Amino acid sequence: MTRTEPVDLYFQAMADPYRRGFVERLSKGPASVKELAAPADVQLPAVLKHLRVLEEGGIIVSEKVGRVRTYRIRPDAFNAVNTWIEQRQHDMNAAFDRLAAAMAEVPEEKDH
Amino acid sequence: MTRTEPVDLYFQAMADPYRRGFVERLSKGPASVKELAAPADVQLPAVLKHLRVLEEGGIIVSEKVGRVRTYRIRPDAFNAVNTWIEQRQHDMNAAFDRLAAAMAEVPEEKDH
């Protein structure tokens, strides 16, 4: 577990409020760089850099038609992280069940 | 959206394979630093630093009893990110439904 894994890029991509803002916008439908940059108080080069990080993280894709590049969210954008979290919650539930079973084995204190 | 938000710390905490490894271990039950460090090829100070990042990200908590500090995952560790992802998927579905409705409005081509 020493090398960078795809899920690292994913979480790094999400660890920025601007980038999450772009993901929030793109969840509602495709958009151009101009449309994405308009409500954000950042310059275009910074917007492009954020979008590149999101593309490398496998969260969005872009397509250039003529002079306009359109960004859209990948339909499977959240699959990997959902799967990872589900596995952890499964383990947490199993641990809780083991604890509950162990508690049930403890004899109740009785009045003598 | 310029300042650091709690969810930034969360995603930053998760963007490292060592830290995710510790979360995977702690999902299965509480552990001491020694137990967490044993399977990882990192030195104790680095382990402690990773654990601090996870605590600041609201993913784990620790408690010191006597000389032993025990780490455990927070039961609500994934709530915030699950809520955020659910909202995005809701938006994605709504956008897809609007697209499907718009397509249905387009008159079919007819043979004359």
Side-chain angles (χ1 to χ4, degrees):
Chain A
M1 62 182 194
T2 45
R3 64 193 171 71
T4 300
E5 296 171 14
V7 70
D8 294 353
L9 294 178
Y10 179 90
F11 281 118
Q12 278 159 17
M14 299 300 282
D16 179 279
Y18 286 106
R19 291 199 287 267
R20 283 199 309 282
F22 296 141
V23 172
E24 288 169 13
R25 167 61 188 82
L26 292 174
S27 299
K28 294 171 183 167
S32 67
V33 176
K34 266 192 190 168
E35 290 169 319
L36 289 166
D41 54 344
V42 274
Q43 297 298 306
L44 206 62
V47 173
L48 286 168
K49 198 178 160 190
H50 281 313
L51 292 172
R52 202 158 51 237
V53 175
L54 286 169
E55 274 199 279
E56 285 166 5
I59 298 163
I60 66 170
V61 288
S62 72
E63 189 188 16
K64 198 166 184 176
V65 177
R67 294 181 57 197
V68 176
R69 182 173 288 278
T70 300
Y71 290 83
R72 59 185 74 236
I73 196 156
R74 286 177 57 151
D76 62 353
F78 303 115
N79 289 15
V81 70
N82 275 339
T83 301
W84 189 86
I85 290 176
E86 273 167 26
Q87 185 58 51
R88 301 295 77 74
Q89 287 186 320
H90 174 270
D91 288 347
M92 285 162 74
N93 291 342
F96 184 83
D97 288 348
R98 276 197 306 277
L99 185 66
M103 298 285 284
E105 298 261 315
V106 177
E108 280 182 58
E109 276 186 47
K110 281 178 185 154
D111 295 323
H112 291 290
Chain B
M1 63 181 194
T2 45
R3 62 191 173 73
T4 300
E5 296 170 13
V7 70
D8 293 354
L9 293 178
Y10 180 92
F11 281 118
Q12 279 159 17
M14 300 300 282
D16 179 279
Y18 285 106
R19 290 198 289 267
R20 283 199 309 283
F22 297 140
V23 172
E24 288 169 13
R25 167 63 189 80
L26 292 174
S27 298
K28 294 171 183 166
S32 67
V33 176
K34 265 191 189 169
E35 290 169 319
L36 289 165
D41 54 344
V42 274
Q43 296 299 305
L44 205 62
V47 173
L48 286 168
K49 197 179 160 190
H50 282 312
L51 292 172
R52 202 158 51 236
V53 175
L54 287 169
E55 275 200 278
E56 284 166 5
I59 298 163
I60 66 170
V61 287
S62 72
E63 190 188 16
K64 198 166 185 176
V65 177
R67 293 183 58 198
V68 177
R69 181 172 289 278
T70 300
Y71 290 83
R72 58 186 75 236
I73 196 157
R74 285 177 58 151
D76 62 352
F78 303 115
N79 289 15
V81 70
N82 275 340
T83 301
W84 189 86
I85 290 176
E86 273 168 25
Q87 185 58 51
R88 303 292 79 72
Q89 287 185 321
H90 174 270
D91 287 347
M92 286 161 75
N93 291 343
F96 184 82
D97 288 347
R98 277 197 306 277
L99 185 65
M103 298 285 282
E105 297 262 316
V106 176
E108 280 182 60
E109 276 187 45
K110 280 178 188 154
D111 295 324
H112 293 290

